Amino acid sequence: GAGVSQSPSNKVTEKGKDVELRCDPISGHTALYWYRQSLGQGLEFLIYFQGNSAPDKSGLPSDRFSAERTGGSVSTLTIQRTQQEDSAVYLCASSIRGGGETQYFGPGTRLLVL
Amino acid sequence: LAKTTQPISMDSYEGQEVNITCSHNNIATNDYITWYQQFPSQGPRFIIQGYKTKVTNEVASLFIPADRKSSTLSLPRVSLSDTAVYYCLVGSSNTGKLIFGQGTTLQVKP
C-alpha cells in the first residue's frame, strides 16, 4: 500500500516568507508526527497529532511554527516569517494508534531559506 | 525517556557481521528498545524492537541482557547497501514521540 507522502519534496524560499509543508499519512493511521532534521540539531520532535487534536506541541521551536490536521488525515505544517535557521529537512511520520507503535516516515521536505 | 549512548561511527566490510551496542543505563521497567535505520535523503525506517532476551527478524537480531542496561543490534553479512545511520531509542512517552540521539554511522566497504 501507499506509504507516507510529503510535498513539496524541496522548497526554497526567501527569509521572511511563509511556507506550508504537507503530509499525507498512511490511510487509517490516527497518529501523526512531525520531526525536523538539521545538521546542527539532529532529528528532533516537533508536534504530535491524535486524530485532529495535537496533545503534544512541545517541540515547536517558536510561535512562528504551527500545524493542523483535518479529517484525521492530511496535516499541514506552517512556518511564518521564515528564518535561515529554519532550513532543515521536515519529516512526517504516522502510526496506527500512537504510543509505542512503529512509526512510518515519509521522505521529508527539504526547506532552504535564503 | 531514557538517554542512550552509542558509537558515533563504525566501519565494516561486505560479508561481515556487524554489532552495534547501545547503552541505556536508566531504562525504566516498562521501556522497550527500538532501532531505526536511516539512509541519506530518506526518513528513518523501523528495523527491530525488543523488551528482553533476543529478538530476530528478517533484517537483524537484537540482543538484550538480563539487566537491560544495554542492547546490541546485530546485522548479519552486511552489504554496501547497509551503509546508513542506525538509531537506538529507548522508551516512549504516552504519545509515542521518538527522541533520537546522534545515531551510529555505519560505513560498509567493499
Side-chain angles (χ1 to χ4, degrees):
Chain A
V4 177
S5 62
Q6 294 185 244
S7 61
S9 55
N10 293 281
K11 177 71 176 179
V12 181
T13 191
E14 295 179 346
K15 178 182 174 181
K17 301 283 190 181
D18 297 353
V19 295
E20 285 190 353
L21 312 180
R22 176 187 169 109
C23 172
D24 283 89
I26 294 173
S27 178
H29 282 196
T30 64
L32 185 148
Y33 305 81
W34 283 97
Y35 297 86
R36 178 171 71 172
Q37 188 167 30
S38 55
L39 286 176
Q41 299 298 324
L43 234 161
E44 55 182 341
F45 165 82
L46 297 178
I47 187 170
Y48 157 69
F49 284 94
Q50 181 58 251
N52 293 334
S53 301
D56 189 348
K57 307 178 183 179
S58 62
L60 295 179
S62 75
D63 58 8
R64 296 186 296 105
F65 287 73
S66 63
E68 65 175 12
R69 189 179 185 194
T70 56
S73 180
V74 172
S75 177
T76 302
L77 177 69
T78 301
I79 309 173
Q80 295 179 310
R81 304 180 303 282
T82 53
Q83 304 293 313
Q84 289 182 331
E85 60 263 28
D86 299 333
S87 296
V89 177
Y90 290 82
L91 292 158
C92 175
S94 70
S95 69
I96 295 175
R97 287 184 297 270
E101 296 182 343
T102 299
Q103 293 184 25
Y104 298 87
F105 283 79
T109 293
R110 285 157 187 76
L111 175 65
L112 177 61
V113 182
L114 301 176
Chain B
L1 300 177
K3 180 181 177 180
T4 60
T5 303
Q6 52 184 124
I8 293 176
S9 64
M10 293 182 69
D11 288 341
S12 183
Y13 291 92
E14 283 190 289
Q16 289 188 332
E17 178 184 78
V18 171
N19 296 307
I20 306 174
T21 297
C22 178
S23 297
H24 27 80
N25 292 319
N26 297 322
I27 190 169
T29 302
N30 295 330
D31 288 343
Y32 47 84
I33 300 152
T34 310
W35 286 79
Y36 278 78
Q37 173 192 55
Q38 186 177 27
F39 297 113
S41 302
Q42 295 186 25
R45 182 175 73 108
F46 172 87
I47 301 177
I48 197 166
Q49 184 181 85
Y51 183 79
K52 62 181 179 180
T53 63
K54 177 183 175 182
V55 179
T56 298
N57 61 22
E58 64 277 7
V59 176
S61 293
L62 179 60
F63 298 91
I64 305 168
D67 66 5
R68 303 200 328 119
K69 293 183 182 300
S70 66
S71 59
T72 299
L73 174 72
S74 181
L75 305 172
R77 299 179 298 281
V78 294
S79 63
L80 296 177
S81 63
D82 292 317
T83 293
V85 179
Y86 293 82
Y87 295 96
C88 166
L89 298 97
V90 172
S92 174
S93 69
N94 291 334
T95 65
K97 68 181 181 185
L98 299 175
I99 306 298
F100 288 86
Q102 298 179 295
T104 297
T105 299
L106 173 65
Q107 179 70 52
V108 180
K109 303 176 182 178

